[in-house]
Amino acid sequence: MSEASQAGPGTTVLFTVTGPDRPGVSSVLFAALTRHGVELLDVEQVVIRGRLTLGTLVRTDHDPEALQEAVEQAMAAISMQVHTTIGVSDDPEERRRHSTHVVVVLGRPITARAFAMVAEALAEVGANIDSIRRVADYPVTGLELEVSPDPGAHHPPGTLRAKLVDVAPRAGVDIAVERAGLARRSKRLIVFDVDSTLVQGEVIEMLAARAGSAAEAEVRAITDAAMRGEIDFVESLRKRVAVLAGLPATVLDEVAQQLQLTPGARTTIRTLKRLGFRCGIVSGGFVQVVSGLVDQLGLDYCAANELEVVDGRLTGRLVGEIIDRPGKAAALRRFAEQYHVPLEQCVAVGDGANDIDMLSTAGLGIAFNAKPALREVADTALSYPYLDAVLFILGITRDEVERADAAEGLLRRVPIP
């Protein structure tokens, strides 16, 4: 039914078609519109669980009632419903909202309560949701919202991000906020921390376990304090490395063979490389252990510390440049310079306080299951143990990943209990 029964020349008409998704719906609708010589102003379509919603905004200089009748008859012929809204155009250029930010909501699951809290938070800062699309259904559910500010609302910069960061833990979801537009889609280089990010666990603890349970416990305690930012990383690193003195160098290869990638790591690297990303690792760990990941994953870059080995045994000392907190940021800069990628087009992913400078240097810093010190400064934080959630933050959908994998015969979808 029409919401208005009278309109003059230069009338806009919005048709919202709903019903089961099937081939030919758009062609039938646009055939009817073509016969009335309308001007197409906007069109959007979404399909959810096989249910189609197709919105089409047109302008006509003829009788909008006749146009309405023609479209409703055409849609009824293919068993589709249509809602028509007629309104007088008072501007030669239709005013459209321009989304300024993209908000990605990740959860397992995203409950109605959680989404309501997000929507309420957006409303409180005068942000309108312009569009919503699903970017993932596993291992987490992901929704991408394009939002725009109320022109009449005036808030300090960062208000939107601060509001959503505050609501995320209470809603039980992860929320990422980025500026919309080309900057978001221009990322071209990514670096990952290794321990507890690209791989599960801490390499130095695995090495210390070879020196006995007491050494392992000592190293773990120092590591935890360093990752929380309670003690200087270089000091903590030297103390931990000293515990390894006397171990045979063969333990380096043994530990390298035992590294377990974080779930989703292969998918993440593979997908980003398909898209032309340069991918690398910057680690406070040890090059003798993590360098194998370069060949295993086809990485472009590796920066890590080097353990000193004399007469086939670890000396408990390091050699060469120390990759500490500022060293990680410096390594990212070298990587970006090597491939001529501006820092604003770089992404860094890490979990500890020693990653703060690296994440702050990159155009987008992602804290992955991170300690509080890093979460506070990162652009966004992920709480689920699946590295491929990074893809969703970058606007890459699960469907796009699966289609690419299927084309290469790589798709092996494993249900998550």
Side-chain angles (χ1 to χ4, degrees):
M1 296 294 294
S2 170
E3 292 186 353
S5 58
Q6 295 182 349
T11 303
T12 59
V13 185
L14 173 63
F15 297 104
T16 305
V17 177
T18 59
D21 186 33
R22 66 184 73 171
V25 174
S26 297
S27 63
V28 172
L29 171 62
F30 282 93
L33 295 173
T34 299
R35 287 192 291 271
H36 284 259
V38 302
E39 177 187 356
L40 181 63
L41 300 177
D42 200 1
V43 60
E44 290 191 15
Q45 175 176 307
V46 64
V47 178
I48 301 177
R49 298 294 184 183
R51 186 82 178 174
L52 169 71
T53 299
L54 171 61
T56 306
L57 179 67
V58 301
R59 181 190 288 122
T60 179
D61 292 326
H62 305 291
D63 180 7
E65 301 289 354
L67 173 62
Q68 174 186 353
E69 182 177 357
V71 170
E72 290 179 348
Q73 289 179 353
M75 292 297 97
I78 56 174
S79 301
M80 301 294 286
Q81 293 76 49
V82 60
H83 178 89
T84 307
T85 303
I86 299 176
V88 178
S89 174
D90 59 358
D91 194 317
E93 294 295 331
E94 292 297 320
R95 296 180 180 179
R96 296 186 59 188
R97 283 185 179 270
H98 293 280
S99 301
T100 59
H101 291 79
V102 174
V103 177
V104 179
V105 182
L106 302 175
R108 191 179 172 206
I110 299 175
T111 64
R113 171 184 172 275
F115 192 83
M117 294 177 69
V118 173
E120 181 180 359
L122 290 169
E124 288 177 356
V125 295
N128 183 71
I129 301 176
D130 302 323
S131 68
I132 305 173
R133 69 165 181 161
R134 186 193 71 182
V135 293
D137 59 355
Y138 93 100
V140 294
T141 299
L143 298 176
E144 182 183 87
L145 288 61
E146 291 191 343
V147 304
S148 57
D150 181 343
H154 299 285
H155 296 285
T159 300
L160 174 63
R161 182 186 303 276
K163 188 70 175 179
L164 292 174
V165 166
D166 177 68
V167 80
R170 294 188 283 112
V173 294
D174 289 339
I175 301 178
V177 182
E178 290 188 76
R179 296 288 302 187
L182 290 176
R184 184 180 185 229
R185 298 189 295 273
S186 67
K187 303 295 189 296
R188 288 294 175 265
L189 182 148
I190 188 166
V191 292
F192 297 89
D193 174 45
V194 175
D195 294 5
S196 298
T197 300
L198 192 64
V199 304
Q200 301 178 66
E202 297 286 329
V203 167
I204 196 164
E205 292 176 12
M206 298 169 68
L207 290 170
R210 269 67 178 177
S213 58
E216 182 181 11
E218 179 183 355
V219 165
R220 183 178 294 113
I222 299 172
T223 298
D224 290 344
M227 292 299 99
R228 292 191 299 266
E230 296 173 359
I231 60 176
D232 176 73
F233 179 80
V234 175
E235 177 188 355
S236 72
L237 180 61
R238 294 190 187 282
K239 287 182 177 180
R240 287 176 289 170
V241 169
V243 175
L244 308 179
L247 285 175
T250 54
V251 301
L252 299 174
D253 290 334
E254 293 172 6
V255 169
Q257 293 298 318
Q258 293 178 353
L259 294 181
Q260 293 187 338
L261 292 171
T262 298
R266 289 184 186 278
T267 297
T268 302
I269 300 296
R270 182 172 65 242
T271 301
L272 292 175
K273 288 183 69 67
R274 281 193 189 118
L275 295 173
F277 272 71
R278 294 291 183 178
C279 303
I281 52 177
V282 175
S283 173
F286 311 112
V287 67
Q288 294 101 320
V289 177
V290 304
S291 60
L293 296 171
V294 175
D295 293 332
Q296 184 181 351
L297 298 174
L299 301 175
D300 301 294
Y301 186 82
C302 174
N305 292 302
E306 183 177 356
L307 291 166
E308 184 180 60
V309 178
V310 176
D311 296 330
R313 291 191 176 275
L314 304 184
T315 66
R317 295 186 296 271
L318 297 167
V319 294
E321 178 189 4
I322 302 297
I323 304 297
D324 56 358
R325 175 172 159 174
K328 283 191 164 190
L332 168 59
R333 292 190 187 94
R334 287 196 299 270
F335 184 20
E337 290 172 2
Q338 179 179 339
Y339 289 101
H340 310 289
V341 177
L343 288 172
E344 58 268 23
Q345 294 181 0
C346 297
V347 182
V349 187
D351 75 302
N354 63 321
D355 295 313
I356 289 176
D357 291 5
M358 183 172 73
L359 266 64
S360 299
T361 299
L364 175 64
I366 301 176
F368 180 74
N369 291 291
K371 311 300 184 295
L374 184 62
R375 295 177 69 93
E376 290 176 3
V377 301
D379 295 305
T380 189
L382 298 175
S383 302
Y384 298 94
Y386 312 110
L387 200 60
D388 39 354
V390 170
L391 299 175
F392 313 143
I393 299 299
L394 295 174
I396 303 164
T397 70
R398 173 59 68 185
D399 287 343
E400 290 170 331
V401 174
E402 291 189 350
R403 285 196 297 269
D405 282 349
E408 295 186 16
L410 297 171
L411 182 58
R412 292 183 298 169
R413 180 163 178 161
V414 180
I416 296 178

